[in-house]
């Protein structure tokens, strides 16, 4: 009996080790794949706070929660199955989809840069979202609907980047890794958004109820949040440009046009060797800058097409995107 019990315990320990190793592998793959989507995540976090502007403080967190829930449904219910089907039956379609997503990000970023230089009317879908509403609830539903539609595009890019970063594995292992990335990124993004949109309220409360250091921190939050939000918007625009450009460059290399990728890589390596003390940081900056130049070029080239082709296509496409805007 004791020998049998010991053998059973050995089997349990062995199974536990296998399960722990599998969990570690999933965690490592999720972290690696999620890191590649970091630029899109920055853009997602930078874009979302604008959707709660103009609402009473008691509605800010509920709005963020509704958008976060919509984002999670986008990723897990709609995009994850499609990504798995593509990886199983049409892996050749992943690169062109990534390229289209990169072009979209480059266009969005370049359009924002152009707006800073030459103010003009916003996108058709943005203008529609900002249309006047008869009451606050309808306006909230419109904002949430617009945010979820925008998130769908960004989430699709995140899932595509995640899928492209996964190595060989079973369908189930890919599904688990992508689900972990989807949940982790959603929690991180919208948790950060919730903190951002409530930071000024927290600061105001500290400045009124606190004293000494706490009151000073509160006043600093109140004064600093507008500057922080402007900086976050700039960072989000930069992220769209460099991530979009990076995806374009990598996708073109996959089709045999590797010149831009090699040129950027050689410039980054040369710059890193010039300052070995901070070589890693310099290499990343030069790579991002090179991708950003490509992104701006592609984005600016697409702007003339926006009014006649892209905006109507966007309006037609968003009719089929999930909105979930009928909730109270």
């Amino acid at each position: 009996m004791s020998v049998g019990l010991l053998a059973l315990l050995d089997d349990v320990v062995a199974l536990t080790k296998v399960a722990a190793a599998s969990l570690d592998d999933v965690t490592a793959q999720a972290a690696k794949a999620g890191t590649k989507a970091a630029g899109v995540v920055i853009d997602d976090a930078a874009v979302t706070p604008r959707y709660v502007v103009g609402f009473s403080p008691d509605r800010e967190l509920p709005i963020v929660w509704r958008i976060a829930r919509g984002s999670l449904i986008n990723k897990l219910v709609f995009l994850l199955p499609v990504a798995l089907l593509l990886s199983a039956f049409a892996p050749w379609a992943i690169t062109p989809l990534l390229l289209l997503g990169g072009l979209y990000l480059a266009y969005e970023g370049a359009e924002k840069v152009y707006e800073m230089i030459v103010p003009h009317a916003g996108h058709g879908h943005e203008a529609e979202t900002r249309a006047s509403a008869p009451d606050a609830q309808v306006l909230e539903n419109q904002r949430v609907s617009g945010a979820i539609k925008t998130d769908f595009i960004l989430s699709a890019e995140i899932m595509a980047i995640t899928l492209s970063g996964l190595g060989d594995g079973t369908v189930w292992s890919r599904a688990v890794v992508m689900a972990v990335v989807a949940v982790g990124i959603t929690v991180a993004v919208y948790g950060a958004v919730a903190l951002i949109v409530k930071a000024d309220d927290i600061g105001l409360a500290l400045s009124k109820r606190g004293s000494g250091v706490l009151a000073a921190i509160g006043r600093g939050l109140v004064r600093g949040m507008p500057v922080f939000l402007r900086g976050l918007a700039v960072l989000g625009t930069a992220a769209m440009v460099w991530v979009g450009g990076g995806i374009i460059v990598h996708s073109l290399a996959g089709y045999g046009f590797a010149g831009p990728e090699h040129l950027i890589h050689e410039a980054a390596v040369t710059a890193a060797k010039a300052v070995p003390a901070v070589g890693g940081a310099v290499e990343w900056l030069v790579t991002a800058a090179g991708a950003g130049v490509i992104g701006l070029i592609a984005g600016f080239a697409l702007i003339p097409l926006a009014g006649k082709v892209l905006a109507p296509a966007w309006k037609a496409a968003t009719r089929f995107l999930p909105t979930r805007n009928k909730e109270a």
Side-chain angles (χ1 to χ4, degrees):
M1 290 291 292
S2 61
V3 173
L5 180 59
L6 289 175
L8 178 61
L9 289 176
D10 284 342
D11 290 341
V12 171
V13 171
L15 288 172
T16 302
K17 288 181 178 179
V18 171
S22 299
L23 182 61
D24 288 342
D25 185 52
V26 167
T27 303
Q29 288 189 63
K32 182 179 178 180
T35 300
K36 290 187 175 182
V40 186
V41 172
I42 292 172
D43 177 51
D44 208 355
V47 166
T48 305
R50 68 178 180 174
Y51 289 101
V52 302
V53 173
F55 291 98
S56 60
D58 63 307
R59 291 305 304 160
E60 290 175 343
L61 291 183
I63 290 173
V64 172
W65 161 243
R66 289 180 63 187
I67 298 172
R69 183 174 57 183
S71 175
L72 202 56
I73 293 174
N74 281 343
K75 294 181 180 75
L76 297 180
V77 177
F78 296 101
L79 295 170
L80 178 57
V82 171
L84 293 175
L85 287 172
L86 285 176
S87 67
F89 300 106
W92 55 267
I94 295 174
T95 297
L97 287 175
L98 275 172
L99 178 57
L100 287 175
L103 289 170
Y104 171 80
L105 289 174
Y107 161 71
E108 285 283 318
E111 208 282 337
K112 285 178 169 54
V113 173
Y114 183 60
E115 168 68 22
M116 296 176 190
I117 300 171
V118 183
H120 59 287
H123 300 154
H125 61 277
E126 290 177 350
E128 183 179 340
T129 300
R130 290 193 295 264
S132 59
D135 58 54
Q137 185 59 58
V138 174
L139 178 60
E140 178 179 322
N141 289 341
Q142 288 180 347
R143 289 280 185 90
V144 170
S145 172
I148 291 173
K149 287 177 179 179
T150 300
D151 173 88
F152 189 90
I153 301 297
L154 296 174
S155 292
E157 199 65 13
I158 288 170
M159 299 301 278
I161 292 172
T162 301
L163 180 62
S164 68
L166 297 179
D168 296 331
T170 65
V171 172
W172 293 112
S173 67
R174 286 170 173 255
V176 170
V177 171
M178 293 182 70
V180 169
V181 171
V183 174
I185 283 179
T186 302
V187 171
V189 167
Y190 291 98
V193 169
L195 288 175
I196 289 170
V197 300
K198 298 306 292 183
D200 53 349
D201 293 334
I202 295 171
L204 185 61
L206 287 175
S207 64
K208 289 182 177 179
R209 300 176 187 176
S211 60
V213 176
L214 288 179
I217 292 174
R219 290 190 295 271
L221 282 173
V222 172
R223 294 171 182 170
M225 281 311 297
V227 177
F228 175 78
L229 287 173
R230 286 194 294 270
L232 187 63
V234 171
L235 181 60
T237 299
M240 278 193 286
V241 171
W242 90 60
V243 172
I247 292 171
I248 293 168
V249 167
H250 185 69
S251 299
L252 290 177
Y255 286 119
F257 300 98
E261 187 175 55
H262 289 162
L263 181 63
I264 293 172
H265 177 70
E266 290 174 4
V269 170
T270 301
K273 289 180 179 178
V275 280
V278 287
V282 170
E283 183 174 351
W284 182 88
L285 286 172
V286 173
T287 301
V293 171
I294 299 296
L296 280 177
I297 293 172
F300 280 126
L302 288 171
I303 286 177
L305 300 176
K308 295 182 178 180
V309 179
L310 298 180
W314 168 265
K315 188 173 182 179
T318 53
R319 292 176 183 175
F320 304 99
L321 295 183
T323 59
R324 294 173 293 279
N325 63 347
K326 296 182 180 180
E327 300 180 26

